PDB file of all heavy atoms in Angstrom:
ATOM      1  N   ASP A 336      51.106 -49.384 -28.399  1.00  0.00           N
ATOM      2  CA  ASP A 336      50.025 -48.832 -27.540  1.00  0.00           C
ATOM      3  C   ASP A 336      48.687 -49.319 -28.063  1.00  0.00           C
ATOM      4  O   ASP A 336      47.748 -48.540 -28.286  1.00  0.00           O
ATOM      5  CB  ASP A 336      50.107 -47.299 -27.574  1.00  0.00           C
ATOM      6  CG  ASP A 336      49.324 -46.716 -26.412  1.00  0.00           C
ATOM      7  OD1 ASP A 336      48.935 -47.471 -25.433  1.00  0.00           O
ATOM      8  OD2 ASP A 336      49.026 -45.484 -26.464  1.00  0.00           O
ATOM      9  N   ILE A 337      48.547 -50.621 -28.162  1.00  0.00           N
ATOM     10  CA  ILE A 337      47.248 -51.223 -28.535  1.00  0.00           C
ATOM     11  C   ILE A 337      46.324 -51.254 -27.359  1.00  0.00           C
ATOM     12  O   ILE A 337      46.691 -51.761 -26.281  1.00  0.00           O
ATOM     13  CB  ILE A 337      47.376 -52.631 -29.099  1.00  0.00           C
ATOM     14  CG1 ILE A 337      48.238 -52.591 -30.432  1.00  0.00           C
ATOM     15  CG2 ILE A 337      46.064 -53.278 -29.437  1.00  0.00           C
ATOM     16  CD1 ILE A 337      48.561 -53.949 -31.020  1.00  0.00           C
ATOM     17  N   LYS A 338      45.133 -50.643 -27.502  1.00  0.00           N
ATOM     18  CA  LYS A 338      44.114 -50.639 -26.442  1.00  0.00           C
ATOM     19  C   LYS A 338      42.824 -50.269 -27.130  1.00  0.00           C
ATOM     20  O   LYS A 338      42.830 -49.740 -28.231  1.00  0.00           O
ATOM     21  CB  LYS A 338      44.464 -49.655 -25.350  1.00  0.00           C
ATOM     22  CG  LYS A 338      44.740 -48.240 -25.854  1.00  0.00           C
ATOM     23  CD  LYS A 338      45.180 -47.309 -24.736  1.00  0.00           C
ATOM     24  CE  LYS A 338      45.488 -45.918 -25.246  1.00  0.00           C
ATOM     25  NZ  LYS A 338      45.917 -44.973 -24.168  1.00  0.00           N
ATOM     26  N   PRO A 339      41.670 -50.470 -26.446  1.00  0.00           N
ATOM     27  CA  PRO A 339      40.390 -50.112 -27.134  1.00  0.00           C
ATOM     28  C   PRO A 339      40.231 -48.774 -27.661  1.00  0.00           C
ATOM     29  O   PRO A 339      39.619 -48.570 -28.668  1.00  0.00           O
ATOM     30  CB  PRO A 339      39.413 -50.444 -25.989  1.00  0.00           C
ATOM     31  CG  PRO A 339      40.041 -51.499 -25.111  1.00  0.00           C
ATOM     32  CD  PRO A 339      41.506 -51.060 -25.180  1.00  0.00           C
ATOM     33  N   SER A 340      40.798 -47.752 -26.961  1.00  0.00           N
ATOM     34  CA  SER A 340      40.617 -46.392 -27.460  1.00  0.00           C
ATOM     35  C   SER A 340      41.488 -46.030 -28.677  1.00  0.00           C
ATOM     36  O   SER A 340      41.293 -45.048 -29.266  1.00  0.00           O
ATOM     37  CB  SER A 340      40.994 -45.403 -26.293  1.00  0.00           C
ATOM     38  OG  SER A 340      42.341 -45.577 -25.849  1.00  0.00           O
ATOM     39  N   ASN A 341      42.448 -46.935 -28.983  1.00  0.00           N
ATOM     40  CA  ASN A 341      43.264 -46.734 -30.119  1.00  0.00           C
ATOM     41  C   ASN A 341      42.804 -47.642 -31.313  1.00  0.00           C
ATOM     42  O   ASN A 341      43.576 -47.848 -32.283  1.00  0.00           O
ATOM     43  CB  ASN A 341      44.777 -47.025 -29.875  1.00  0.00           C
ATOM     44  CG  ASN A 341      45.394 -45.841 -29.176  1.00  0.00           C
ATOM     45  OD1 ASN A 341      44.902 -44.701 -29.226  1.00  0.00           O
ATOM     46  ND2 ASN A 341      46.555 -46.023 -28.542  1.00  0.00           N
ATOM     47  N   ILE A 342      41.625 -48.165 -31.125  1.00  0.00           N
ATOM     48  CA  ILE A 342      41.037 -48.977 -32.235  1.00  0.00           C
ATOM     49  C   ILE A 342      39.742 -48.336 -32.623  1.00  0.00           C
ATOM     50  O   ILE A 342      38.761 -48.251 -31.765  1.00  0.00           O
ATOM     51  CB  ILE A 342      40.801 -50.433 -31.748  1.00  0.00           C
ATOM     52  CG1 ILE A 342      42.100 -51.076 -31.333  1.00  0.00           C
ATOM     53  CG2 ILE A 342      40.150 -51.275 -32.846  1.00  0.00           C
ATOM     54  CD1 ILE A 342      41.949 -52.397 -30.559  1.00  0.00           C
ATOM     55  N   ILE A 343      39.608 -47.874 -33.802  1.00  0.00           N
ATOM     56  CA  ILE A 343      38.398 -47.120 -34.258  1.00  0.00           C
ATOM     57  C   ILE A 343      37.516 -47.952 -35.163  1.00  0.00           C
ATOM     58  O   ILE A 343      38.061 -48.576 -36.127  1.00  0.00           O
ATOM     59  CB  ILE A 343      38.846 -45.775 -34.986  1.00  0.00           C
ATOM     60  CG1 ILE A 343      39.707 -44.922 -34.141  1.00  0.00           C
ATOM     61  CG2 ILE A 343      37.624 -45.062 -35.507  1.00  0.00           C
ATOM     62  CD1 ILE A 343      38.983 -44.410 -32.909  1.00  0.00           C
ATOM     63  N   ARG A 344      36.247 -48.025 -34.860  1.00  0.00           N
ATOM     64  CA  ARG A 344      35.281 -48.671 -35.713  1.00  0.00           C
ATOM     65  C   ARG A 344      34.858 -47.675 -36.775  1.00  0.00           C
ATOM     66  O   ARG A 344      34.144 -46.733 -36.533  1.00  0.00           O
ATOM     67  CB  ARG A 344      34.075 -49.099 -34.898  1.00  0.00           C
ATOM     68  CG  ARG A 344      32.940 -49.723 -35.739  1.00  0.00           C
ATOM     69  CD  ARG A 344      33.262 -51.166 -36.151  1.00  0.00           C
ATOM     70  NE  ARG A 344      33.290 -52.026 -34.980  1.00  0.00           N
ATOM     71  CZ  ARG A 344      33.591 -53.339 -35.058  1.00  0.00           C
ATOM     72  NH1 ARG A 344      33.923 -53.845 -36.257  1.00  0.00           N
ATOM     73  NH2 ARG A 344      33.564 -54.145 -34.008  1.00  0.00           N
ATOM     74  N   ARG A 345      35.328 -47.823 -37.972  1.00  0.00           N
ATOM     75  CA  ARG A 345      35.116 -46.857 -39.048  1.00  0.00           C
ATOM     76  C   ARG A 345      33.605 -47.054 -39.504  1.00  0.00           C
ATOM     77  O   ARG A 345      33.151 -48.093 -39.796  1.00  0.00           O
ATOM     78  CB  ARG A 345      36.008 -47.150 -40.211  1.00  0.00           C
ATOM     79  CG  ARG A 345      35.986 -46.036 -41.340  1.00  0.00           C
ATOM     80  CD  ARG A 345      37.243 -46.176 -42.196  1.00  0.00           C
ATOM     81  NE  ARG A 345      37.430 -47.548 -42.746  1.00  0.00           N
ATOM     82  CZ  ARG A 345      38.559 -48.027 -43.136  1.00  0.00           C
ATOM     83  NH1 ARG A 345      39.656 -47.212 -43.157  1.00  0.00           N
ATOM     84  NH2 ARG A 345      38.670 -49.261 -43.579  1.00  0.00           N
ATOM     85  N   HIS A 346      32.910 -45.871 -39.516  1.00  0.00           N
ATOM     86  CA  HIS A 346      31.526 -45.901 -39.869  1.00  0.00           C
ATOM     87  C   HIS A 346      31.191 -46.314 -41.305  1.00  0.00           C
ATOM     88  O   HIS A 346      30.152 -46.881 -41.614  1.00  0.00           O
ATOM     89  CB  HIS A 346      30.877 -44.555 -39.568  1.00  0.00           C
ATOM     90  CG  HIS A 346      30.732 -44.286 -38.104  1.00  0.00           C
ATOM     91  ND1 HIS A 346      30.368 -43.063 -37.558  1.00  0.00           N
ATOM     92  CD2 HIS A 346      30.876 -45.133 -37.058  1.00  0.00           C
ATOM     93  CE1 HIS A 346      30.277 -43.120 -36.216  1.00  0.00           C
ATOM     94  NE2 HIS A 346      30.580 -44.372 -35.905  1.00  0.00           N
ATOM     95  N   SER A 347      32.116 -45.987 -42.190  1.00  0.00           N
ATOM     96  CA  SER A 347      31.845 -46.237 -43.639  1.00  0.00           C
ATOM     97  C   SER A 347      31.677 -47.712 -43.957  1.00  0.00           C
ATOM     98  O   SER A 347      30.943 -48.104 -44.806  1.00  0.00           O
ATOM     99  CB  SER A 347      32.885 -45.565 -44.483  1.00  0.00           C
ATOM    100  OG  SER A 347      34.169 -46.103 -44.195  1.00  0.00           O
TER     101      SER A 347
END
Side-chain angles (χ1 to χ4, degrees):
D336 198 14
I337 296 176
K338 56 183 177 180
S340 60
N341 280 343
I342 302 167
I343 301 297
R344 175 77 68 184
R345 190 163 52 202
H346 285 170
S347 60

